[in-house]
mmCIF file of all heavy atoms in Angstrom:
data_model
loop_
_atom_site.group_PDB
_atom_site.id
_atom_site.type_symbol
_atom_site.label_atom_id
_atom_site.label_comp_id
_atom_site.label_asym_id
_atom_site.label_seq_id
_atom_site.Cartn_x
_atom_site.Cartn_y
_atom_site.Cartn_z
ATOM 1 N N ALA H 370 -28.309 -34.437 46.810
ATOM 2 C CA ALA H 370 -26.919 -34.392 46.413
ATOM 3 C C ALA H 370 -26.144 -35.678 46.775
ATOM 4 O O ALA H 370 -24.960 -35.522 46.875
ATOM 5 C CB ALA H 370 -26.222 -33.119 47.034
ATOM 6 N N GLY H 371 -26.857 -36.731 46.940
ATOM 7 C CA GLY H 371 -26.196 -38.035 47.216
ATOM 8 C C GLY H 371 -26.286 -38.441 48.700
ATOM 9 O O GLY H 371 -27.090 -37.875 49.556
ATOM 10 N N THR H 372 -25.736 -39.624 48.986
ATOM 11 C CA THR H 372 -25.661 -40.072 50.321
ATOM 12 C C THR H 372 -24.197 -40.467 50.715
ATOM 13 O O THR H 372 -23.388 -40.744 49.912
ATOM 14 C CB THR H 372 -26.605 -41.366 50.578
ATOM 15 O OG1 THR H 372 -26.198 -42.312 49.572
ATOM 16 C CG2 THR H 372 -28.171 -40.994 50.327
ATOM 17 N N VAL H 373 -23.987 -40.489 52.104
ATOM 18 C CA VAL H 373 -22.665 -40.740 52.512
ATOM 19 C C VAL H 373 -22.820 -41.522 53.884
ATOM 20 O O VAL H 373 -23.650 -41.091 54.791
ATOM 21 C CB VAL H 373 -21.668 -39.531 52.610
ATOM 22 C CG1 VAL H 373 -22.333 -38.537 53.568
ATOM 23 C CG2 VAL H 373 -20.308 -40.010 53.051
ATOM 24 N N ARG H 374 -22.002 -42.448 54.109
ATOM 25 C CA ARG H 374 -21.984 -43.329 55.409
ATOM 26 C C ARG H 374 -20.811 -43.012 56.082
ATOM 27 O O ARG H 374 -19.633 -43.016 55.525
ATOM 28 C CB ARG H 374 -22.332 -44.781 55.064
ATOM 29 C CG ARG H 374 -22.496 -45.576 56.367
ATOM 30 C CD ARG H 374 -21.347 -46.342 56.760
ATOM 31 N NE ARG H 374 -21.562 -47.328 57.635
ATOM 32 C CZ ARG H 374 -21.369 -47.153 59.101
ATOM 33 N NH1 ARG H 374 -20.875 -46.210 59.633
ATOM 34 N NH2 ARG H 374 -21.550 -48.344 59.789
ATOM 35 N N TYR H 375 -20.788 -42.693 57.346
ATOM 36 C CA TYR H 375 -19.464 -42.467 58.132
ATOM 37 C C TYR H 375 -19.749 -42.820 59.553
ATOM 38 O O TYR H 375 -20.786 -43.066 60.034
ATOM 39 C CB TYR H 375 -19.133 -40.964 58.025
ATOM 40 C CG TYR H 375 -20.264 -39.952 58.383
ATOM 41 C CD1 TYR H 375 -20.716 -39.762 59.642
ATOM 42 C CD2 TYR H 375 -20.856 -39.138 57.329
ATOM 43 C CE1 TYR H 375 -21.782 -38.871 59.962
ATOM 44 C CE2 TYR H 375 -21.830 -38.290 57.541
ATOM 45 C CZ TYR H 375 -22.212 -38.151 58.829
ATOM 46 O OH TYR H 375 -23.230 -37.172 59.223
ATOM 47 N N ASN H 376 -18.582 -42.855 60.246
ATOM 48 C CA ASN H 376 -18.599 -43.189 61.704
ATOM 49 C C ASN H 376 -17.493 -42.289 62.309
ATOM 50 O O ASN H 376 -16.371 -42.178 62.039
ATOM 51 C CB ASN H 376 -17.912 -44.580 61.873
ATOM 52 C CG ASN H 376 -17.619 -45.052 63.270
ATOM 53 O OD1 ASN H 376 -17.988 -44.411 64.136
ATOM 54 N ND2 ASN H 376 -17.043 -46.042 63.342
ATOM 55 N N HIS H 377 -18.024 -41.231 63.046
ATOM 56 C CA HIS H 377 -17.242 -40.224 63.638
ATOM 57 C C HIS H 377 -17.407 -40.160 65.089
ATOM 58 O O HIS H 377 -18.633 -39.666 65.584
ATOM 59 C CB HIS H 377 -17.594 -38.763 62.984
ATOM 60 C CG HIS H 377 -17.106 -38.761 61.634
ATOM 61 N ND1 HIS H 377 -15.658 -38.886 61.182
ATOM 62 C CD2 HIS H 377 -17.621 -38.267 60.433
ATOM 63 C CE1 HIS H 377 -15.570 -38.662 59.960
ATOM 64 N NE2 HIS H 377 -16.689 -38.332 59.435
ATOM 65 N N PRO H 378 -16.593 -40.407 66.043
ATOM 66 C CA PRO H 378 -16.661 -40.143 67.299
ATOM 67 C C PRO H 378 -16.561 -38.690 67.666
ATOM 68 O O PRO H 378 -15.811 -37.922 66.981
ATOM 69 C CB PRO H 378 -15.628 -40.880 68.059
ATOM 70 C CG PRO H 378 -14.941 -41.725 67.014
ATOM 71 C CD PRO H 378 -15.359 -41.119 65.731
ATOM 72 N N ASP H 379 -17.281 -38.227 68.761
ATOM 73 C CA ASP H 379 -17.052 -36.785 69.091
ATOM 74 C C ASP H 379 -16.240 -36.848 70.458
ATOM 75 O O ASP H 379 -16.764 -37.262 71.513
ATOM 76 C CB ASP H 379 -18.537 -36.067 69.544
ATOM 77 C CG ASP H 379 -18.394 -34.710 70.081
ATOM 78 O OD1 ASP H 379 -17.357 -34.184 69.916
ATOM 79 O OD2 ASP H 379 -19.340 -34.381 70.884
ATOM 80 N N PRO H 380 -15.077 -36.399 70.364
ATOM 81 C CA PRO H 380 -14.108 -36.499 71.615
ATOM 82 C C PRO H 380 -14.657 -35.952 72.843
ATOM 83 O O PRO H 380 -14.526 -36.327 73.953
ATOM 84 C CB PRO H 380 -12.791 -36.030 71.112
ATOM 85 C CG PRO H 380 -12.872 -35.988 69.732
ATOM 86 C CD PRO H 380 -14.343 -35.895 69.324
ATOM 87 N N ALA H 381 -15.287 -34.568 72.507
ATOM 88 C CA ALA H 381 -15.802 -33.858 73.796
ATOM 89 C C ALA H 381 -16.862 -34.592 74.612
ATOM 90 O O ALA H 381 -16.917 -34.485 75.770
ATOM 91 C CB ALA H 381 -16.226 -32.531 73.185
ATOM 92 N N SER H 382 -17.774 -35.318 73.873
ATOM 93 C CA SER H 382 -18.922 -35.868 74.485
ATOM 94 C C SER H 382 -18.774 -37.326 74.677
ATOM 95 O O SER H 382 -19.538 -37.943 75.598
ATOM 96 C CB SER H 382 -20.182 -35.552 73.751
ATOM 97 O OG SER H 382 -20.271 -36.052 72.563
ATOM 98 N N GLY H 383 -17.944 -37.948 73.816
ATOM 99 C CA GLY H 383 -17.902 -39.452 74.063
ATOM 100 C C GLY H 383 -19.018 -40.019 73.090
ATOM 101 O O GLY H 383 -19.011 -41.323 72.951
ATOM 102 N N LEU H 384 -19.791 -39.344 72.503
ATOM 103 C CA LEU H 384 -20.862 -39.868 71.594
ATOM 104 C C LEU H 384 -20.307 -40.208 70.187
ATOM 105 O O LEU H 384 -19.182 -39.639 69.798
ATOM 106 C CB LEU H 384 -22.065 -38.833 71.430
ATOM 107 C CG LEU H 384 -22.819 -38.444 72.779
ATOM 108 C CD1 LEU H 384 -23.758 -37.350 72.585
ATOM 109 C CD2 LEU H 384 -23.318 -39.723 73.464
ATOM 110 N N VAL H 385 -21.034 -40.985 69.393
ATOM 111 C CA VAL H 385 -20.535 -41.363 68.170
ATOM 112 C C VAL H 385 -21.601 -41.138 67.159
ATOM 113 O O VAL H 385 -22.754 -41.456 67.342
ATOM 114 C CB VAL H 385 -20.153 -42.901 68.143
ATOM 115 C CG1 VAL H 385 -19.729 -43.371 66.793
ATOM 116 C CG2 VAL H 385 -19.098 -43.190 69.247
ATOM 117 N N GLU H 386 -21.207 -40.578 65.984
ATOM 118 C CA GLU H 386 -22.065 -40.471 64.790
ATOM 119 C C GLU H 386 -21.867 -41.651 63.775
ATOM 120 O O GLU H 386 -20.870 -41.706 63.154
ATOM 121 C CB GLU H 386 -21.656 -39.025 64.025
ATOM 122 C CG GLU H 386 -22.295 -37.899 64.789
ATOM 123 C CD GLU H 386 -23.832 -37.698 64.807
ATOM 124 O OE1 GLU H 386 -24.443 -38.670 64.520
ATOM 125 O OE2 GLU H 386 -24.224 -36.620 65.199
ATOM 126 N N GLN H 387 -22.754 -42.678 63.915
ATOM 127 C CA GLN H 387 -22.849 -43.613 62.928
ATOM 128 C C GLN H 387 -24.040 -43.398 62.070
ATOM 129 O O GLN H 387 -25.202 -43.638 62.391
ATOM 130 C CB GLN H 387 -22.982 -45.010 63.623
ATOM 131 C CG GLN H 387 -21.858 -45.559 64.368
ATOM 132 C CD GLN H 387 -21.026 -46.470 63.423
ATOM 133 O OE1 GLN H 387 -21.131 -46.466 62.281
ATOM 134 N NE2 GLN H 387 -20.216 -47.328 64.159
ATOM 135 N N GLU H 388 -23.717 -42.652 60.904
ATOM 136 C CA GLU H 388 -24.849 -42.206 60.159
ATOM 137 C C GLU H 388 -24.852 -42.644 58.752
ATOM 138 O O GLU H 388 -23.816 -42.727 57.951
ATOM 139 C CB GLU H 388 -24.834 -40.704 60.234
ATOM 140 C CG GLU H 388 -25.205 -40.216 61.627
ATOM 141 C CD GLU H 388 -25.415 -38.647 61.647
ATOM 142 O OE1 GLU H 388 -24.861 -37.950 60.874
ATOM 143 O OE2 GLU H 388 -26.176 -38.284 62.612
ATOM 144 N N TYR H 389 -26.076 -42.847 58.102
ATOM 145 C CA TYR H 389 -26.286 -42.939 56.814
ATOM 146 C C TYR H 389 -26.931 -41.539 56.355
ATOM 147 O O TYR H 389 -28.171 -41.348 56.674
ATOM 148 C CB TYR H 389 -27.275 -44.127 56.460
ATOM 149 C CG TYR H 389 -27.497 -44.476 55.021
ATOM 150 C CD1 TYR H 389 -26.595 -45.257 54.423
ATOM 151 C CD2 TYR H 389 -28.422 -43.755 54.211
ATOM 152 C CE1 TYR H 389 -26.759 -45.681 52.992
ATOM 153 C CE2 TYR H 389 -28.631 -44.045 52.919
ATOM 154 C CZ TYR H 389 -27.855 -45.055 52.325
ATOM 155 O OH TYR H 389 -28.014 -45.361 50.935
ATOM 156 N N ASN H 390 -26.169 -40.717 55.780
ATOM 157 C CA ASN H 390 -26.548 -39.285 55.755
ATOM 158 C C ASN H 390 -26.960 -38.998 54.292
ATOM 159 O O ASN H 390 -26.300 -39.179 53.274
ATOM 160 C CB ASN H 390 -25.353 -38.338 55.982
ATOM 161 C CG ASN H 390 -25.743 -37.004 56.349
ATOM 162 O OD1 ASN H 390 -26.312 -36.394 55.457
ATOM 163 N ND2 ASN H 390 -25.184 -36.466 57.413
ATOM 164 N N HIS H 391 -28.223 -38.472 54.150
ATOM 165 C CA HIS H 391 -28.765 -38.006 52.824
ATOM 166 C C HIS H 391 -28.407 -36.452 52.721
ATOM 167 O O HIS H 391 -28.538 -35.690 53.650
ATOM 168 C CB HIS H 391 -30.276 -37.955 52.836
ATOM 169 C CG HIS H 391 -30.743 -39.455 52.987
ATOM 170 N ND1 HIS H 391 -31.228 -40.074 51.901
ATOM 171 C CD2 HIS H 391 -30.803 -40.279 54.104
ATOM 172 C CE1 HIS H 391 -31.574 -41.349 52.292
ATOM 173 N NE2 HIS H 391 -31.389 -41.469 53.656
ATOM 174 N N VAL H 392 -27.669 -36.097 51.590
ATOM 175 C CA VAL H 392 -27.112 -34.808 51.576
ATOM 176 C C VAL H 392 -27.924 -33.934 50.518
ATOM 177 O O VAL H 392 -28.387 -34.507 49.537
ATOM 178 C CB VAL H 392 -25.580 -34.777 51.074
ATOM 179 C CG1 VAL H 392 -24.973 -33.529 50.910
ATOM 180 C CG2 VAL H 392 -24.834 -35.767 51.967
ATOM 181 N N PHE H 393 -28.171 -32.627 50.859
ATOM 182 C CA PHE H 393 -28.897 -31.779 50.022
ATOM 183 C C PHE H 393 -28.110 -30.394 49.881
ATOM 184 O O PHE H 393 -27.429 -30.011 50.800
ATOM 185 C CB PHE H 393 -30.318 -31.419 50.693
ATOM 186 C CG PHE H 393 -31.064 -32.766 50.928
ATOM 187 C CD1 PHE H 393 -31.054 -33.481 52.146
ATOM 188 C CD2 PHE H 393 -31.995 -33.265 49.848
ATOM 189 C CE1 PHE H 393 -31.743 -34.542 52.272
ATOM 190 C CE2 PHE H 393 -32.793 -34.377 50.092
ATOM 191 C CZ PHE H 393 -32.703 -35.039 51.278
ATOM 192 N N ALA H 394 -28.327 -29.957 48.593
ATOM 193 C CA ALA H 394 -27.776 -28.579 48.360
ATOM 194 C C ALA H 394 -28.841 -27.659 47.740
ATOM 195 O O ALA H 394 -29.714 -28.250 47.048
ATOM 196 C CB ALA H 394 -26.595 -28.623 47.330
ATOM 197 N N GLY H 395 -28.826 -26.308 48.106
ATOM 198 C CA GLY H 395 -29.860 -25.476 47.621
ATOM 199 C C GLY H 395 -29.514 -24.021 47.785
ATOM 200 O O GLY H 395 -28.423 -23.710 48.019
#
Side-chain angles (χ1 to χ4, degrees):
T372 59
V373 60
R374 191 260 196 256
Y375 51 72
N376 173 9
H377 288 304
D379 172 27
S382 67
L384 301 176
V385 178
E386 288 289 11
Q387 287 267 19
E388 292 190 332
Y389 187 93
N390 196 307
H391 298 256
V392 184
F393 300 91

